[in-house]
Amino acid sequence: DVKVTQSSRYLVKRTGEKVFLECVQDMDHENMFWYRQDPGLGLRLIYFSYDVKMKEKGDIPEGYSVSREKKERFSLILESASTNQTSMYLCASSLPPGTGVIGVQYFGPGTRLTVT
Amino acid sequence: DQQVKQNSPSLSVQEGRISILNCDYTNSMFDYFLWYKKYPAEGPTFLISISSIKDKNEDGRFTVFLNKSAKHLSLHIVPSQPGDSAVYFCAVVTHQGAQKLVFGQGTRLTINP
């Protein structure tokens, strides 16, 4: 079974703090993703990575950065947290195309971040 | 600009009846479509998918229908069970190489006993 773990289930931070959200997958997946989930907006892609040290912006990258130093670990960084970054953050991983059903991603349980 | 839309935020269905969840997309070039299911306090899990070369794909109680001319897909659950109560997201693959997805807003399905 694929396992994607996220470092915290709940996190409370103050405005202006630097925040690190960690994600680890144990299935040697090439691709990793960070989303945020907000009511009425669904899941929106922040950043993704298709290989170690390779990253690309998703649909809403502003205010975020990422780091992927090792294949199994993908970190999301909020350089200076703001209240509009209060959200549920979900990490996912997937195999490259040709190795399974196209588009299947495996998600972690999520981190509920509150910025006050 | 919403590429994938689920216009019903919620749906309530009686146990044993059919649940039909709908999804519309804007780009006729999309080739792969998926449905994910999400329970509270858990991440989404893959449910069923369909490629643009088909108009129907079935897996047990779950069937996905694709109407390419209308740019519309739907998920049918028959018969609906209480354990099906969850939020359902449709998604399209926008970049096959990176397995990149765009998700709809989600529909909260409640199955009433």
Side-chain angles (χ1 to χ4, degrees):
Chain A
D1 260 4
V2 176
K3 191 151 188 195
V4 180
T5 55
Q6 295 184 228
S7 51
S8 307
R9 294 301 297 268
Y10 300 94
L11 211 50
V12 180
K13 295 292 181 180
R14 292 193 182 274
T15 301
E17 277 194 81
K18 191 169 186 175
V19 182
F20 293 86
L21 301 182
E22 306 284 340
C23 175
V24 177
Q25 50 94 3
D26 67 356
M27 283 300 291
D28 203 35
H29 283 176
E30 307 285 338
N31 305 319
M32 295 188 76
F33 308 84
W34 274 107
Y35 296 90
R36 60 179 284 178
Q37 182 193 357
D38 300 291
L41 296 176
L43 278 71
R44 293 179 294 164
L45 182 65
I46 304 171
Y47 266 95
F48 66 102
S49 167
Y50 49 89
D51 202 348
V52 176
K53 296 191 189 284
M54 306 299 285
K55 58 191 179 187
E56 281 203 26
K57 293 179 180 178
D59 300 316
I60 51 163
E62 296 78 20
Y64 303 94
S65 63
V66 289
S67 171
R68 193 166 181 201
E69 297 294 321
K70 292 185 177 181
K71 193 174 187 180
E72 67 270 18
R73 188 179 297 268
F74 192 35
S75 303
L76 180 69
I77 304 155
L78 287 66
E79 296 290 343
S80 177
S82 63
T83 55
N84 63 13
Q85 293 178 309
T86 291
S87 187
M88 170 68 81
Y89 288 88
L90 291 157
C91 174
S93 69
S94 76
L95 290 163
T99 52
V101 177
I102 293 174
V104 174
Q105 296 183 7
Y106 300 88
F107 284 83
T111 296
R112 170 76 61 188
L113 172 67
T114 303
V115 183
T116 60
Chain B
D1 192 21
Q2 199 86 30
Q3 297 183 75
V4 182
K5 286 184 184 177
Q6 294 176 254
N7 291 315
S8 299
S10 63
L11 178 66
S12 188
V13 174
Q14 198 169 357
E15 182 179 359
R17 306 295 285 264
I18 183 170
S19 296
I20 300 176
L21 295 94
N22 294 302
C23 179
D24 297 300
Y25 59 96
T26 56
N27 190 335
S28 58
M29 301 296 288
F30 291 147
D31 279 331
Y32 293 94
F33 308 85
L34 302 94
W35 285 94
Y36 281 78
K37 177 178 179 178
K38 186 182 186 297
Y39 291 119
E42 295 182 16
T45 54
F46 167 69
L47 187 58
I48 192 169
S49 66
I50 190 166
S51 75
S52 59
I53 62 171
K54 295 185 172 183
D55 53 21
K56 176 182 169 180
N57 187 28
E58 221 172 320
D59 183 1
R61 297 185 297 114
F62 302 91
T63 303
V64 56
F65 294 91
L66 178 63
N67 182 333
K68 290 184 283 293
S69 60
K71 295 200 278 286
H72 177 84
L73 69 155
S74 60
L75 175 69
H76 292 210
I77 306 173
V78 180
S80 301
Q81 298 175 353
D84 296 329
S85 295
V87 177
Y88 290 79
F89 293 97
C90 67
V92 298
V93 178
T94 56
H95 188 304
Q96 283 188 40
Q99 299 270 51
K100 187 182 167 196
L101 300 174
V102 171
F103 287 84
Q105 301 95 316
T107 296
R108 180 177 301 279
L109 175 65
T110 303
I111 306 300
N112 302 306

